[in-house]
Each structure stands twice: as structure tokens, then as C-alpha cells.
Amino acid sequence: GIGLEIDSQHGNLEQALRQAETLLKEKQFAAVAQQVAEIRKQYPQHPQAIFLDAVAHRFLGDSAYAVKHLSKLSKRLPDAAAIHLELGI
């Protein structure tokens, strides 16, 4: 990982997600992708992790990856405006 190990405690999950959001704000997109990959090892369907992963990949130039994961997520969370904004809908 990048200095933050994830275990089954909810607090560590929240801390890891906040870390990923901070990295995103700092435009450290590769670090975001790495951080959420660690989170998704234990929480593969966590919506916030999927969203952050997709956004990071979009900034890294992998739009196909981003659209694929955001599209799936939008079906699970149809009222989540941030997902639709990210998809450009």
C-alpha cells in the first residue's frame, strides 16, 4: 500500500477513503488508484471506492475504465448526482 493498511475495522476504511479523497484533491491520481485498489481488495463493491477509482482512472487517461465502472455504479445508485456528473449525463 501507500502507508495505510486496511483491515476489517470500519474506522480504517473511512480513514483510507479520506486519504484517497485528499490525494484526489492534490491531483495525485496514480496514488488515488493505488489507494482504492487496496481498499477494494477487502471492499470490492464499496461505492465510494469504486467512484474514486473511476475518477482517478479518468484523470489518468483511461476513460473506458472510468465509464465502465461509473455506469455499473449508476445502476446501483441511480440518484447519485456525482456519478451522473462524472459520466457527463
Side-chain angles (χ1 to χ4, degrees):
I2 54 174
L4 182 62
E5 294 304 315
I6 311 299
D7 66 24
S8 61
Q9 295 178 4
H10 186 70
N12 284 353
L13 171 62
E14 293 304 314
Q15 184 179 4
L17 289 167
R18 279 195 306 274
Q19 170 84 15
E21 288 174 346
T22 299
L23 291 167
L24 186 63
K25 288 176 187 167
E26 295 172 352
K27 299 182 176 15
Q28 297 183 40
F29 307 119
V32 175
Q34 185 178 2
Q35 176 79 1
V36 293
E38 290 297 317
I39 295 168
R40 291 187 67 195
K41 284 179 184 176
Q42 289 193 345
Y43 305 95
Q45 297 303 315
H46 193 284
Q48 189 176 0
I50 294 169
F51 179 78
L52 290 168
D53 190 29
V55 172
H57 279 84
R58 178 177 64 83
F59 278 110
L60 291 168
D62 192 349
S63 296
Y65 180 98
V67 168
K68 174 184 169 188
H69 291 280
L70 289 168
S71 295
K72 288 181 184 177
L73 196 56
S74 72
K75 288 178 178 72
R76 281 178 50 201
L77 303 169
D79 296 330
I83 297 167
H84 298 293
L85 285 172
E86 195 60 35
L87 281 167
I89 296 172

